[in-house]
Structures are given as structure tokens and as C-alpha cells.
């Protein structure tokens, strides 16, 4: 019971929210509290001024007025001050102590006036005490302990004092005030309980709001953050880019957009597993984040593609140098779970103003620069330029012409012989596409193949060329082979492969006479799907040739996983084969590799007699190049199925 009473009469310091609420509520009541004390005291002093001693009407009240004014000024000056919890508790405890002291002093002073004056003046004393203390208790409703102490210190002695006077009126007044005090205590407990419940509910509401805000912030973070690398995701990257572009428009800040695509990531992912692949992506994110202090905002856009917002740099040369630095960092070995993985990163950059002024335009131009980097300069940086803009415009013109083209009528084929250098016999032809457009004229194969890939027409184009090539093969002897190139998009499109297999089956040409040629770059884009589709061709008896061998990143690692029947050595190794020992060593290695895996080795790009001699000494037999013949029309191939007499003689001498 004692402990319960003690808790009722003390400040609840373990409830910070309640303490702050009590202090705030009481601060608003302080002016009213001292107004009641001062005005009631002035009125009582006035009625006793002529009958009571000056000490009681001037001296003591003057001191009390001064205390009240000082307290009122102190509270007014501190009403907007933010108090820490300890300060608030100390302030409430000081108020509680002062309430006891002032309550006792004011009561003692008023009772000391009782002996002076007539019955009305005595009644005024009783009225003063009852009226003043009830008003003060209402002002202290938020401080339950102070209000209860004031009730005990003033109203209990008041009831006893006036009950002992023997005057029926004062006795009735005392009993009435006692009953009112009981009612007020009940009201006080009820009010304080509701006040405490209100603060508790506000605390819970604040906690729920904080939790809601936390969840909202977490959802916002998750919605704008890549969970694997902890980099901003595509959504956040786009928002940041839009913001930076708006700022740049206002203050002229230089902004560039970079797109990074990892070269060789999928083979790492397929070989070592997705766990290692994820670790590698995390490491890439960390390496890109290291550039954040240099005005670069990195993000993961999806898969193995990353984005960079580059601030404060609009010079192509500086951007190219910065990009090369980034590419070098990305090309450093990755040590993951005791394994060493090697990849590279290609970077395409577009500059605000030179490449466009909108986010979409910058994305499109950076993507084009990235495409050029991956096609021609893997592991390096390409900054979009005016020349690239002209190329895009030309590509757009070609794409429009391609969409409107009658492919059957406008597309044609020429055939480059593949020669057996030992016999001089043409063993097969590689079909090469040509396009003479009535709208744009003759279009180079590289240009219209790229346009067909970007416009989604490549599958249809390949089917048209396949029919034409198979028709040509019908006219050749049965021992002459036909090689047909498939693009990157073709080899990873199940629909296109289905169509080509149907066309081959309907043509009546023996599939064993056919070779499908794919580049290493095309296969590595989606190795597993490309491998599955190549296996489908192989299952029909069709040969598989890996073109441009040695120019990619993972040839030796993956050549044994593909159903290859031919390996074609890229012409870049042939140019100086007669004089460069390193080129000869590379070719010798590839020839040995081909022999060991059971593949026919075909060398491309011979243009001189010296090259042919050097290749023959290295064991190369199957060759293809201008030295033997340039690409020929179907009619020219039909006129002969072996080398011209002089070329045949030259070829035999090399044997």
C-alpha cells in the first residue's frame, strides 16, 4: 500500500513521453494558476486592510506577489525551450516541491487573517481558501502528485479548522468543501488516467507511424536498390539521371551516361555456378562504387549490365581515359571462393548535348556505343561521336529500306570457294549475302546484317538466304559442300532454327553436304542455348564450323563443348604469316588443336603465294581467300568445280 501511495505521489520518470506531455500541459496552465493566486490574494488583502496588521496585508502578500511574478516570468521565458528527459523530470519535481511550500504558506497566511474582522471577513477567509485551492487543483490536473499534495496540505487542515469553530455555517462549509475535495480527487484520478491513456495511445500511434515510415522507407529502398550488389537499380538510376539532367539544364553542368556490359560473364556463371556468378557481380559493384568519389553514380541495370552517371566531365578524351581506367579495373582477376575468374567490361558513353538532351536519347546513344565496343573493341570504351550519329542515321535509313524490301527479289548470294590445297579441287563454297536496294543502292553485308539484327528482321532474312543457297547447292555436284553463316540472333532463336531445319528438310539437299558457320562471339552471348541449337543441326547430319576462331575470349575453354566439325582460322593471323613467327606459332597451335578434337581446319584470307606456302608448311590444307578466287556468282561456280589451271598449278607446287 505504501509503495502504491509512493508511486501515486511521485513523478513517473520511467515514462519519458508522459513526463514531456505533463510539462507541456502544465506550462500552458501556469499563467492561469498564478492569476488565480494573485487576484484572490489581492481581494482578501483588500477586505482586511483596515482590520489586520500591515505585516499581514502588505508584508507577507508582497513577498508572495514577488514569488508569483518571478515564477511566472521564469515559466514564460522557458515555455518554448526543449527539455531533455532528465531536465523535464527535475522541473516537475521542483514544481511539486514548490506546490507544497506555496500551498502551506498561502494557507497559513489566509488563516492568520481569520481572527481579524467581523463574520463576513471571516467568511471571506473561508471562501478564499476553498475557491483558491479548488482553482489551483484544476490547474494542476496534469500533475497528479502535486494536485493531491495540495489537496492534503490545504483542504484537510481547512476542514478540520472550520469544523472546530463551532459555527454551524462554517461547519457546513467545511463538510461541503470536504465532499467537493473527495469528488475532485475522483475527477483528478479519472482525468489523469485518461490523460495517461491518451499519451500512451499517442506513443503507440507514433510508434506505429514510425514503423509504417520504416517499412515505407525499406520498401522504397528495396524498390530502388539492387538486392545483390546494393547498388541503385534501374528505377533509381533513371530517376537520378532525370534529376541530374534537369540540374544540368539549369546550371550547365556536364553530364555523361555510361553503360557497362561484362564480357565473358555467362561462361563464368555456367562453369562455376550461379553462386560464384553472384559473387562476381557483387565484386563488380564494389569496383564500380570505388569510382563514386570521382563524380560517378553507379547502378546495376540488370543481369550483367551496369550504368554510370558521370558528372563534371564532358570532354570525349577525358571520358575515354576514365572509361579505359574503369575497364582495366574490371579486367583484373576475380578471386572467388578459391577460384580465379577473368572477365572484361565494355563501356559505351554518351555525352549530354553532343549525343542528345533527354534520358531516352542518351540511353539509346550509349547503347549504340556499347554495341560498337562489344562488336569491335571488347574490354574498351567507345564514346559516342558525330560519326556514330551519322552511322545511326545510315542504319536507320537501311532499316527502313530493309523493312520495305522485297527480300526474295533484292537479296542475292555470291559464293567463295574453299579449296583443297593438296589437289587444287574446290571442296565447297561459303554463301555470302549481297543486297542491291532500289532505295539506297548496294548495301555492304555488315551494314544490312546489323540492321536486320537490330530491327528484328534477321530471322526472315536468314530463311530467304537459306532457300537461295540450297537452290544453288542443287546445281553443284554431290561432293561439293555449302557453308551458310548464322548471325548472333539466329543461333539463339528457337523459332529461327525450327524454320531453317524445315527449309533444309524440304529442299531435298543432303544435310551432310551443309555446314553452319557461327562466330565465337555469337555463341558466347548465350552459350547453353546456342549449344543446344547447334546440337539440333548436328543431329540432322549438318556440319558445324566455328568462324573467326581465336578472336574471342574463351575459345580453348569451350571449343570441346561444341559439336564442331570445322574450325576456321581468322584472317588476322594470316596477314603476316610469312614473316611473323608468333602468327605461325598461333596457327600451328590451332591446326594441332583442330586435329586433336577431330575437326577440319580451314584457313581464311590468303592473298599471296608466300602466305599459301607458309600455311602449307604448317600443315594447313583447306584454304579460302582471294589468292584462289574472289566470291563468284552461281553461274561462275557452275562453269568449274576446281581451281583455274594456273591457280591449280601454284597450289600443287606448294605440296
Amino acid at each position: 500500500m505504501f509503495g502504491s501511495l509512493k508511486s501515486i505521489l511521485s513523478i513517473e520518470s520511467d515514462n519519458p513521453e508522459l513526463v514531456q506531455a505533463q510539462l507541456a500541459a502544465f506550462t500552458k496552465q501556469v499563467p492561469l494558476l498564478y492569476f488565480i493566486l494573485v487576484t484572490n490574494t489581492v481581494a482578501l488583502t483588500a477586505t482586511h486592510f483596515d482590520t489586520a496588521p500591515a505585516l499581514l496585508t502588505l508584508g507577507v502578500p508582497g513577498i508572495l506577489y514577488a514569488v508569483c511574478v518571478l515564477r511566472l516570468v521564469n515559466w514564460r521565458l522557458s515555455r518554448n525551450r526543449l527539455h531533455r528527459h532528465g531536465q523535464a523530470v527535475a522541473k516537475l519535481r521542483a514544481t511539486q516541491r514548490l506546490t507544497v511550500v506555496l500551498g502551506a504558506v498561502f494557507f497559513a497566511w489566509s488563516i492568520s487573517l481569520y481572527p481579524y474582522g467581523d463574520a463576513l471577513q471571516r467568511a471571506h477567509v473561508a471562501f478564499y481558501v476553498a475557491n483558491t485551492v479548488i482553482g489551483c487543483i484544476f490547474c494542476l490536473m496534469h500533475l497528479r502528485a502535486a494536485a493531491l499534495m495540495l489537496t492534503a496540505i490545504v483542504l484537510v487542515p481547512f476542514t478540520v479548522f472550520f469544523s472546530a469553530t463551532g459555527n454551524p455555517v462554517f461547519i457546513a462549509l467545511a463538510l461541503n468543501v470536504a465532499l467537493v475535495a473527495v469528488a475532485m480527487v475522483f475527477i483528478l484520478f479519472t482525468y489523469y488516467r485518461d490523460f495517461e491513456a491518451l499519451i500512451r495511445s499517442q506513443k503507440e500511434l507514433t510508434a506505429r507511424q514510425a514503423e509504417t515510415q520504416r517499412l515505407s522507407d525499406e520498401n522504397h529502398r528495396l524498390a530502388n536498390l539492387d538486392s545483390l550488389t546494393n547498388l541503385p537499380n534501374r528505377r533509381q538510376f533513371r530517376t537520378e539521371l532525370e534529376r541530374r539532367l534537369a540540374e544540368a539544364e539549369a546550371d550547365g553542368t556536364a553530364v555523361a551516361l555510361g553503360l557497362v556490359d561484362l564480357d565473358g560473364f555467362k561462361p563464368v556463371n555456367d562453369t562455376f555456378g550461379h553462386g560464384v556468378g553472384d559473387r562476381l557481380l557483387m565484386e563488380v559493384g564494389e569496383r564500380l562504387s570505388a569510382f563514386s568519389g570521382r563524380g560517378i553514380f553507379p547502378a546495376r541495370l540488370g543481369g550483367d549490365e551496369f550504368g554510370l552517371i558521370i558528372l563534371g566531365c564532358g570532354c570525349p578524351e577525358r571520358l575515354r581515359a576514365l572509361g579505359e581506367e574503369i575497364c582495366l579495373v574490371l579486367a583484373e582477376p576475380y578471386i572467388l571462393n578459391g577460384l580465379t575468374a577473368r572477365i572484361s567490361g565494355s563501356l559505351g558513353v554518351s555525352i549530354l548535348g553532343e549525343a542528345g538532351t533527354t534520358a531516352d536519347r542518351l540511353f539509346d546513344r550509349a547503347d549504340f556505343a556499347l554495341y560498337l565496343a562489344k562488336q569491335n573493341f571488347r574490354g574498351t570504351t567507345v564514346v559516342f561521336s558525330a560519326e556514330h550519329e551519322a552511322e545511326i542515321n545510315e542504319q536507320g535509313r537501311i532499316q527502313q529500306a530493309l523493312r520495305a524490301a522485297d527480300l526474295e527479289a533484292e537479296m542475292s548470294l555470291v559464293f567463295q570457294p574453299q579449296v583443297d590445297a593438296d589437289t587444287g579441287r574446290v571442296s565447297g563454297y561459303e554463301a555470302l549475302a549481297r543486297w542491291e536496294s532500289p532505295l539506297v543502292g548496294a548495301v555492304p553485308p555488315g551494314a544490312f546484317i546489323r540492321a536486320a539484327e537490330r530491327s528484328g528482321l534477321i530471322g526472315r532474312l536468314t530463311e530467304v538466304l537459306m532457300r537461295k543457297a540450297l537452290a544453288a547447292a542443287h546445281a553443284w555436284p554431290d561432293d561439293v559442300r555449302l557453308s551458310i553463316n548464322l548471325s548472333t540472333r539466329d543461333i539463339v532463336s528457337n523459332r529461327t532454327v525450327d524454320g531453317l531445319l524445315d527449309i533444309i528438310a524440304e529442299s531435298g539437299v543432303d544435310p551432310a553436304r551443309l555446314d553452319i558457320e557461327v562466330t565465337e562471339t555469337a555463341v558466347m552471348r548465350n552459350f547453353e542455348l546456342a549449344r543446344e541449337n547447334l546440337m539440333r543441326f548436328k543431329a540432322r547430319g549438318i556440319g558445324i564450323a566455328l568462324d573467326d576462331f581465336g578472336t574471342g575470349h574463351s575459345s580453348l575453354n569451350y571449343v570441346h563443348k561444341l559439336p564442331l566439325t570445322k574450325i576456321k582460322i581468322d584472317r588476322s593471323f594470316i596477314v603476316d604469316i610469312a614473316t611473323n613467327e608468333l602468327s605461325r606459332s598461333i596457327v600451328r597451335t590451332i591446326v594441332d588443336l583442330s586435329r586433336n578434337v577431330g575437326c577440319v581446319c580451314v584457313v581464311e584470307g590468303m592473298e599471296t603465294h608466300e602466305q599459301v606456302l607458309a600455311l602449307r608448311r604448317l600443315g594447313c590444307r583447306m584454304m579460302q581467300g582471294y589468292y584462289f578466287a574472289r566470291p563468284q556468282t552461281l553461274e561462275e561456280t557452275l562453269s568449274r568445280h576446281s581451281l583455274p589451271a594456273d591457280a591449280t598449278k601454284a597450289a600443287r607446287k606448294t605440296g
Side-chain angles (χ1 to χ4, degrees):
M1 178 178 179
F2 178 76
S4 177
L5 179 62
K6 183 179 180 181
S7 66
I8 291 175
L9 296 178
S10 62
I11 302 299
E12 299 180 58
S13 59
D14 58 343
N15 192 337
E17 291 78 12
L18 179 60
V19 169
Q20 293 291 344
Q22 287 177 301
L23 182 60
F26 177 63
T27 299
K28 297 176 182 177
Q29 301 297 330
V30 167
L32 179 59
L33 172 66
Y34 287 113
F35 174 78
I36 292 173
L37 282 173
V38 171
T39 55
N40 286 1
T41 301
V42 169
L44 184 61
T45 301
T47 59
H48 287 77
F49 190 77
D50 294 330
T51 57
L55 178 64
L56 296 179
T57 57
L58 292 177
V60 174
I63 296 173
L64 295 177
Y65 296 152
V67 171
C68 290
V69 170
L70 288 175
R71 291 294 299 165
L72 183 60
V73 170
N74 180 60
W75 277 94
R76 177 142 186 103
L77 292 176
S78 64
R79 70 186 188 279
N80 295 323
R81 186 183 304 165
L82 295 177
H83 296 85
R84 292 192 295 271
H85 177 62
Q87 294 174 326
V89 171
K91 198 171 184 66
L92 292 183
R93 285 174 176 165
T95 300
Q96 187 171 306
R97 290 190 295 268
L98 188 62
T99 298
V100 173
V101 174
L102 289 180
V105 171
F106 272 98
F107 176 72
W109 168 77
S110 62
I111 292 301
S112 68
L113 292 174
Y114 183 81
Y116 304 97
D118 55 20
L120 288 178
Q121 290 173 309
R122 294 190 188 98
H124 190 188
V125 171
F127 176 78
Y128 167 81
V129 175
N131 182 46
T132 302
V133 76
I134 290 173
C136 290
I137 289 173
F138 271 110
C139 291
L140 294 167
M141 293 291 279
H142 300 94
L143 302 179
R144 180 181 62 187
L148 290 175
M149 288 181 178
L150 184 63
T151 302
I153 291 171
V154 177
L155 290 184
V156 172
F158 171 85
T159 302
V160 173
F161 179 84
F162 281 99
S163 296
T165 60
N167 187 318
V169 175
F170 285 142
I171 294 173
L173 178 62
L175 293 175
N176 181 248
V177 171
L179 292 174
V180 171
V182 172
M184 287 187 61
V185 169
F186 177 78
I187 293 172
L188 174 65
F189 274 95
T190 303
Y191 177 83
Y192 189 80
R193 181 195 64 202
D194 294 342
F195 177 73
E196 192 175 27
L198 175 63
I199 299 305
R200 185 168 55 252
S201 66
Q202 287 179 342
K203 179 181 178 180
E204 293 172 354
L205 178 60
T206 301
R208 286 198 297 269
Q209 288 176 337
E211 178 64 14
T212 301
Q213 184 63 46
R214 186 191 69 80
L215 292 175
S216 176
D217 293 342
E218 180 66 11
N219 288 336
H220 183 270
R221 187 185 72 85
L222 293 175
N224 293 278
L225 196 70
D226 175 60
S227 59
L228 180 63
T229 62
N230 282 327
L231 291 177
N233 61 12
R234 180 180 289 273
R235 179 203 300 267
Q236 178 66 13
F237 185 77
R238 182 61 182 248
T239 301
E240 182 70 12
L241 179 61
E242 296 281 4
R243 184 176 73 84
R244 294 295 187 178
L245 293 181
E247 291 178 356
E249 183 178 359
D251 57 25
T253 305
V255 179
L257 169 66
L259 296 180
V260 179
D261 193 81
L262 303 182
D263 308 311
F265 169 72
K266 194 168 191 322
V268 171
N269 207 38
D270 294 339
T271 302
F272 300 126
H274 292 289
V276 172
D278 288 346
R279 290 286 303 279
L280 189 148
L281 291 175
M282 293 166 63
E283 176 69 21
V284 169
E286 292 176 3
R287 294 187 185 187
L288 292 178
S289 295
F291 289 88
S292 298
R294 298 171 61 177
I296 294 179
F297 179 86
R300 183 188 178 203
L301 305 184
D304 60 348
E305 184 180 13
F306 295 80
L308 305 173
I309 299 174
I310 306 170
L311 303 176
C313 183
C315 172
E317 289 74 18
R318 288 179 56 197
L319 285 169
R320 193 173 292 108
L322 176 61
E324 293 304 325
E325 185 177 347
I326 292 173
C327 291
L328 285 175
V329 169
L330 293 179
E332 293 177 0
Y334 295 79
I335 311 300
L336 308 167
N337 296 336
L339 302 171
T340 300
R342 293 181 180 274
I343 62 167
S344 62
S346 299
L347 174 60
V349 180
S350 59
I351 306 172
L352 176 64
E354 295 185 19
T357 58
T358 66
D360 288 337
R361 184 87 169 185
L362 290 177
F363 261 106
D364 183 66
R365 275 25 186 183
D367 186 63
F368 185 81
L370 176 62
Y371 173 82
L372 293 179
K374 293 189 74 67
Q375 289 294 319
N376 306 306
F377 313 104
R378 283 196 164 205
T380 61
T381 299
V382 172
V383 179
F384 189 85
S385 64
E387 291 77 11
H388 298 144
E389 186 67 44
E391 186 176 347
I392 283 182
N393 293 334
E394 179 65 16
Q395 279 283 304
R397 196 166 68 96
I398 293 173
Q399 286 186 29
Q400 292 300 316
L402 196 59
R403 293 181 187 279
D406 180 349
L407 299 182
E408 290 285 353
E410 297 175 24
M411 289 291 168
S412 62
L413 291 173
V414 292
F415 304 92
Q416 186 165 30
Q418 295 177 349
V419 178
D420 184 338
D422 281 354
T423 64
R425 190 181 69 85
V426 174
S427 62
Y429 293 95
E430 179 181 355
L432 303 173
R434 298 292 184 265
W435 180 30
E436 184 73 32
S437 168
L439 298 178
V440 295
V443 183
F448 71 75
I449 293 298
R450 184 161 61 247
E453 285 186 326
R454 294 178 69 88
S455 63
L457 295 173
I458 188 64
R460 179 180 158 211
L461 174 61
T462 302
E463 290 180 356
V464 169
L465 295 174
M466 177 67 80
R467 290 192 182 93
K468 291 179 176 290
L470 291 170
H474 264 298
W476 298 330
D478 292 342
D479 59 348
V480 175
R481 303 186 65 81
L482 168 66
S483 293
I484 304 167
N485 292 280
L486 295 190
S487 74
T488 303
R489 299 289 179 85
D490 290 331
I491 198 59
V492 294
S493 169
N494 290 330
R495 180 178 179 180
T496 299
V497 172
D498 289 340
L500 295 177
L501 289 173
D502 290 342
I503 292 171
I504 293 171
E506 294 167 0
S507 70
V509 175
D510 184 359
R513 294 176 57 195
L514 305 180
D515 289 312
I516 295 296
E517 290 194 19
V518 292
T519 64
E520 183 184 350
T521 300
V523 171
M524 292 308 159
R525 290 294 177 86
N526 189 334
F527 182 81
E528 288 302 326
L529 183 55
R531 180 176 179 275
E532 290 175 8
N533 284 330
L534 290 176
M535 291 295 292
R536 295 172 63 192
F537 283 112
K538 183 68 178 297
R540 298 287 185 94
I542 300 170
I544 307 298
L546 188 60
D547 200 6
D548 299 337
F549 184 80
T551 60
H553 291 270
S554 306
S555 303
L556 298 179
N557 290 332
Y558 283 88
V559 68
H560 69 284
K561 295 184 178 181
L562 297 173
L564 301 179
T565 56
K566 282 185 180 179
I567 291 178
K568 301 185 74 174
I569 302 177
D570 185 69
R571 61 175 289 114
S572 61
F573 299 111
I574 308 305
V575 175
D576 58 352
I577 191 71
T579 58
N580 190 319
E581 181 60 33
L582 178 60
S583 294
R584 288 195 291 270
S585 296
I586 293 173
V587 170
R588 184 183 296 109
T589 299
I590 298 176
V591 171
D592 291 340
L593 172 68
S594 300
R595 186 181 299 111
N596 291 335
V597 297
C599 291
V600 174
C601 183
V602 180
V603 188
E604 298 181 290
M606 280 74 61
E607 296 184 358
T608 68
H609 180 65
E610 289 74 16
Q611 291 172 338
V612 174
L613 289 175
L615 289 167
R616 289 297 295 121
R617 285 192 290 268
L618 293 173
C620 300
R621 178 175 177 178
M622 301 303 298
M623 301 184 187
Q624 177 181 341
Y626 285 179
Y627 176 76
F628 297 103
R630 289 180 175 273
Q632 304 171 351
T633 65
L634 176 60
E635 290 73 17
E636 290 172 328
T637 66
L638 293 177
S639 66
R640 54 186 175 178
H641 298 292
S642 62
L643 292 174
D646 54 344
T648 302
K649 183 177 179 181
R652 285 177 176 170
K653 286 182 179 179
T654 64

